[in-house]
Amino acid sequence: DGQLLPVRVLEYRESHGGEIRNPRWLAQFAGRSNVQQLRFGTDIKNIAGATLSSEHVTAGVRRILAIRQTAVVGAIPSGSAG
């Protein structure tokens, strides 16, 4: 049905930003079905002290969802960049 399953961080090696592994933060992604529902700072909340990490995970999930939508639907969704 195109909805995201729960997101997991398999490995995190940086000295800062490890808070992105928190299941409560990652739960924000589950069930969303298009990139417009994944706006960092609006739909997906920032983590103080892990801003870059949380922003980059959000961008990565947006990218994966845009690729899936393109492959399955055959059209690039509007607003999929970034």
Side-chain angles (χ1 to χ4, degrees), residues 17-31:
E19 297 87 350
I20 62 161
R21 294 176 289 200
N22 183 313
R24 290 184 66 191
W25 184 77
L26 292 170
Q28 298 180 90
F29 295 98

Side-chain angles (χ1 to χ4, degrees), residues 5-6 8 12-13 15-16 18 24 26-28 32 37 42-43 55 57-60 62-63 66 69 72 76 78-79:
L5 298 174
R8 295 186 324 174
Y12 191 81
R13 298 180 187 166
S15 59
H16 300 296
R24 290 184 66 191
L26 292 170
Q28 298 180 90
R32 300 193 189 251
Q37 297 173 330
T42 302
D43 303 311
E55 187 172 9
V57 168
T58 302
R62 285 176 58 92
R63 210 171 297 118
Q69 288 176 330
V72 173
I76 298 173
S78 63

